[in-house]
């Protein structure tokens, strides 16, 4: 009998259809059964989670009231205060307690003699409810029975607790706190008690009262807590549209419900209103919970009781859980879920699975036929490609790809053969054009591997030690990966036969040994061949610079090795040239970073400024390059310009090496190398001792002892106050008023007696300044605070930078280098720096320009001094040091100004200030833009491009990252 043969497409279609049927049926059954069980488990989880959420919400409502009641029970208001005046002394405590929780409406104390003291919160618009005048925010109610006529008073207070009204209401005397349930429950109980839920008379809301007996036992402190927020919590716990939840006590009285329309209060008149019971809620499934055996419900926190029941012809899942509220009164959460809604998703999933299975069956046969055709078609194309190669036709008509591995490998082999000669020329051109050494290494390895048909390889470079090699680039599966993290190795330790290839100075091929690829680390993986080609790389003077290792299928023939050797010779020369250039740039970059780090390390007040500003400036420059609209749509930087930007950013504050630390770090007005407030304090001590000596001299001379000592105390008090004022001035925290300056001069005019020569032991420079005035004969009366000649330090003529200076500086230069006069420094109106010291700090930009201008930068870096030296200029020409306008500054200089300001505003590593929040920093910069201090167009780009946010995420703390709407800061004129 002859066997019938069927086309491949028929076999594939039948097999695929059968597989779809089997898998679809299994998925449908598993999905429905498992989904049903998961949803039922979720009902249990929902009941448990809802119970815990309601429990937590009740705890949040009751806990502040309990804690405050305990504290008030310890205070005199509940222990001996027998009059309104004495009880009002605790008003602040009541107000603080009320403000701790919006759910607590009042705190009050009931006394054993029938007295009553209450403090209640009044919401805006509710004044009429309490007969209070407009603006009332708190009502104080007092009932004093005493021994005479009983008095009932209402005091009305505004938000500041000022009394704005008062009323006497004798009708309130009918209220006796001793008859209230909260008083009765708490007077003999230990700790805090809670009443059953009831409807508050004043606002018609359901609440509960917590109460505790006072420390002395003669009074009860209580608080009314609203429970209306519990309904909102229950609404959020609904799992399906038909799910209902209710919170109730052991009397089945509702404390909250998820049906806001139904409410939890019943009764028409005020006297009839009470919390609804489960039966009065009007929901039959929840009403069925009343029939539960509550003894089956475990302790608080136990697994809820779950039952299935049919209510009004609908299958329901009912759950009951006990809550732990920290007191003996029990509370329960009831849950009713329609079963059909709970299992609806499982049924829908089953139906969808059936539909998907049917759809797959309809498409299985055509897809199988198409798949068979797709597999066979590449074989026919490969035959055509092979014929073209045989005719030496290397024009590319597209790579033939196939899902069949053997067919795909055959297509790749043919493609590699065709590309080998063409890629040789491409490699030489690409390597010669690549100027970035770090990109050159993986590019060189990848192109060489592709030319020889290899998909894995390693490029080794010789390190500082000529006898050691390190992996500098790696290729795995045709894709570049980071080189393995390992130390440099000697040739003797090197794998892949590197030592032999270097010794023979030629390319070698040998079988791959076990574990050689894996030894390079997890990124290396396994080589995709069974042999390796090792190629040493020598320079023109036969110096070893590295080696190439490429995977190979089988041992390479001599022709292939010759091709690789020719290709690697050009690679070695390129590596040599690029390595020399890279080493020079690396040295220069290291010097730049060394200088920047030294500046940051010089003072704790600069932090990482010199490291962060270059990164922020780079981000803003990149945003300008990426802009496709707006004023910077045509802005671009090439590689050399980027190098100039980078160097300028790192060097923008190099002049700070000349700024004295004691000026940058000046924390008080009198601080130089140390804080001279100690000298001033000693003079005050001298004056106090002089006053004491005079006092006792007067007593010894017959003056009244008591009067003399009283006068001494007055003098001491005045001196202490004057020194405290001088010390406060020294801190520079507040701006100095004219009255403060006048007082400072009056204090400074007070004299003290100096008996020692103040020129002994003084350095020659200070002595020369002191010699400007003749020495005073001893003993000499000197002012307590003074601006003396030795305080004035002259400025050198070379530091004045007058008009026509070669750098174009136009800063206003103070007459003196430093003025350390005590009155001059203490009289600084704002901050701690004098004009001379502020100039000294700003002078760092002058020194930056001078230092950079003296460096022999190459042509493409000639703009570095201008780029680095302009970040303190303003757009209106009022900046420094050259007072340039916007048009006179390059875009990069204006970018650096924005980067410098934003980093300074947000920096967190400066002890003298906190890092500002993101929104606060942007608001300040927006004002600077409006004042033409920074470039408006660049600031707009800074915002719209998101550079501010990208920088903040890298360098700012989470607490600084507040919400920002850039519409609040962008210039509307910019569109």
């Amino acid at each position: 009998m002859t066997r019938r043969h069927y086309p491949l497409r028929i076999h594939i279609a039948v097999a695929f259809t059968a597989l779809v049927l089997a898998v679809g049926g299994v998925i449908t059954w598993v999905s429905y059964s498992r989904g049903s069980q998961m949803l039922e488990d979720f009902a249990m989880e929902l009941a448990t989670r809802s119970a815990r959420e309601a429990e937590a919400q009740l705890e949040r409502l009751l806990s502040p009231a309990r804690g405050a009641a305990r504290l008030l029970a310890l205070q005199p208001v509940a222990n001996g205060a027998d009059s309104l005046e004495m009880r009002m002394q605790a008003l602040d405590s009541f107000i603080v307690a009320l403000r701790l929780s919006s759910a607590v409406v009042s705190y009050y104390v009931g006394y054993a003699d029938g007295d009553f003291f209450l403090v209640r919160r009044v919401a805006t618009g509710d004044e009429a409810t309490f007969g209070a005048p407009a603006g009332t925010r708190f009502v104080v109610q007092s009932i004093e029975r005493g021994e005479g006529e009983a008095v009932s008073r209402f005091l009305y207070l505004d938000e500041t607790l000022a009394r704005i009204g008062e009323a006497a209401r004798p009708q309130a005397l009918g209220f006796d706190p001793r008859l209230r349930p909260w008083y009765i429950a708490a007077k003999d109980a230990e700790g805090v008690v809670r009443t059953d839920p009831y409807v508050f008379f004043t606002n018609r809301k359901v609440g509960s009262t917590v109460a505790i007996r006072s420390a002395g036992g003669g009074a009860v402190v209580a608080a009314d807590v609203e429970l209306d927020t519990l309904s909102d919590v229950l609404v959020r716990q609904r799992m399906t549209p038909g799910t209902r939840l209710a919170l109730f006590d052991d009397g089945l009285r509702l404390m909250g419900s998820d049906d806001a329309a139904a409410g939890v209060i019943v009764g028409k008149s005020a006297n009839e209103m009470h919390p609804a019971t489960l039966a009065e809620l009007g929901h039959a499934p929840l009403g069925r919970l009343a029939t539960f055996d509550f003894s089956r419900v475990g302790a608080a926190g136990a697994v809820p009781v779950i039952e299935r029941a049919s209510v009004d012809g609908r299958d329901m899942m009912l759950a009951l859980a006990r809550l732990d509220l920290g007191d003996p009164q029990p509370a329960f959460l009831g849950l009713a879920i329609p079963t059909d809604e709970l299992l609806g998703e499982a049924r829908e999933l089953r139906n969808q699975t059936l539909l998907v299975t049917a759809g797959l069956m309809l498409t299985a046969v055509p897809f199988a036929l198409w798949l068979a055709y797709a597999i066979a078609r590449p074989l026919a194309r490969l035959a055509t490609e092979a014929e073209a190669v045989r005719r030496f036709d290397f024009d590319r008509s597209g790579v033939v790809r196939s899902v069949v591995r053997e067919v795909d490998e055959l297509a790749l082999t043919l493609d590699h053969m065709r590309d080998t000669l063409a890629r040789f020329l491409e490699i030489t051109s690409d390597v010669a054009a690549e100027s970035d050494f770090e990109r050159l290494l993986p590019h060189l390895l990848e192109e060489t591997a592709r030319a020889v048909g290899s998909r894995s390889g390693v490029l080794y470079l010789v390190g500082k030690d000529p006898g050691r090699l390190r992996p500098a680039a790696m290729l795995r599966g045709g894709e570049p990966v980071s080189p393995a993290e390992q130390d440099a190795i000697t040739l003797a330790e090197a794998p892949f036969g590197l030592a032999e290839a270097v010794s023979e100075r030629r390319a070698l091929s040998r079988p791959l040994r076990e574990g050689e690829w894996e030894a390079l680390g997890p990124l290396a993986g396994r080589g995709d061949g069974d042999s390796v080609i090792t190629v040493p790389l020598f320079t023109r003077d036969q110096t070893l610079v590295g080696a190439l290792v490429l995977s190979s299928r089988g041992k390479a023939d001599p022709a292939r090795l010759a091709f690789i050797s020719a290709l690697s010779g050009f690679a070695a020369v390129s590596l040599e040239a690029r390595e020399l250039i890279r080493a020079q740039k690396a040295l220069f970059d290291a010097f730049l970073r060394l200088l920047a780090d030294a500046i940051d390390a010089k003072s704790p007040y600069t932090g990482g400024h010199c490291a962060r500003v270059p990164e922020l400036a780079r981000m803003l420059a990149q945003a300008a390059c990426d802009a496709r609209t707006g004023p910077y749509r045509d802005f671009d930087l090439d590689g050399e310009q980027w190098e100039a930007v980078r160097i300028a950013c790192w060097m923008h504050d190099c002049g700070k090496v000349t700024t004295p630390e004691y000026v940058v770090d000046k924390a008080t007005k009198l601080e130089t190398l140390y804080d001279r407030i100690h000298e001033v304090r000693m003079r005050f001590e001298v004056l106090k001792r002089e006053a004491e000596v005079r006092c006792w001299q007067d007593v010894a001379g017959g003056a009244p002892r008591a009067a003399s000592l009283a006068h001494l105390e007055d003098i001491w008090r005045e001196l202490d106050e004057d020194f405290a004022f001088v010390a406060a001035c020294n801190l520079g925290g507040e701006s100095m008023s004219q009255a403060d300056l006048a007082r400072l001069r009056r204090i400074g005019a007070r004299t003290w007696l100096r008996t020692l020569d103040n020129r002994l032991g003084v350095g020659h420079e200070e002595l020369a300044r002191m010699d400007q005035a003749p020495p005073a004969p001893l003993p000499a009366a000197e002012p307590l605070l003074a601006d003396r000649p030795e305080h004035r330090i002259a400025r050198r003529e070379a530091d004045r930078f007058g008009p026509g200076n070669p750098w174009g500086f136009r800063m206003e230069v103070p007459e003196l280098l430093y003025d350390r006069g005590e009155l001059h420094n203490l009289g600084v109106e704002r901050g701690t720096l004098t004009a001379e010291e502020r100039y000294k700090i700003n002078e760092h930009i002058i020194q930056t320009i001078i230092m950079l201008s003296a460096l022999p930068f190459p042509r493409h870096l000639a703009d570095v001094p201008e780029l680095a030296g302009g970040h303190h200029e303003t757009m209106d020409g009022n900046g420094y040091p050259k007072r340039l306008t916007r048009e006179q500054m390059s875009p990069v200089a204006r970018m650096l100004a924005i980067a410098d300001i934003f980093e300074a505003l947000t920096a967190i590593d400066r002890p003298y200030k906190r890092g500002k929040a993101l929104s606060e920093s942007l608001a300040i910069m927006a004002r600077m833009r409006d004042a033409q201090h920074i470039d408006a167009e660049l600031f707009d780009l800074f915002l719209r491009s998101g550079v501010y946010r990208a920088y903040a995420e890298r360098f700012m703390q989470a607490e600084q990252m507040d919400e920002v709407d850039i519409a609040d800061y962008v210039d509307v004129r910019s569109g």
Side-chain angles (χ1 to χ4, degrees), residues 58 61-62 65-66 101 103-107 198 200 206-210 223-228:
L58 272 168
L61 295 177
L62 297 174
R66 288 170 174 159
S101 173
V104 182
V105 296
S106 61
Y107 287 92
Y198 64 96
F200 290 159
V206 172
S208 182
T209 299
V210 297
D224 287 342
V225 183
E226 294 178 350
L227 304 177
D228 56 339

Side-chain angles (χ1 to χ4, degrees), residues 109-111 114-116 143 145 175-184:
V109 184
Y111 300 90
D115 280 10
F116 184 65
I143 297 177
R145 303 189 188 278
F175 174 80
D176 191 338
R178 296 168 294 184
L179 304 179
R180 301 300 296 164
W182 52 269
Y183 187 97
I184 296 171

Side-chain angles (χ1 to χ4, degrees), residues 105-126:
V105 296
S106 61
Y107 287 92
Y108 43 88
V109 184
Y111 300 90
D113 59 359
D115 280 10
F116 184 65
F117 180 74
L118 174 143
V119 180
R120 180 188 302 278
R121 183 202 323 275
V122 178
T124 303
D126 288 350

Side-chain angles (χ1 to χ4, degrees), residues 378-391 397 400 414:
L379 293 173
R381 290 189 58 192
L382 280 176
T384 304
E385 292 286 335
E387 179 62 23
V389 172
R390 189 181 67 82
R391 299 193 308 267
S397 58
V400 178
L414 288 173

Side-chain angles (χ1 to χ4, degrees), residues 819-835:
D819 187 341
R820 294 173 179 165
E822 294 165 343
L823 288 172
H824 178 71
N825 278 261
L826 288 170
V828 170
E829 295 187 3
R830 189 177 300 274
T832 63
L833 298 177
T834 64

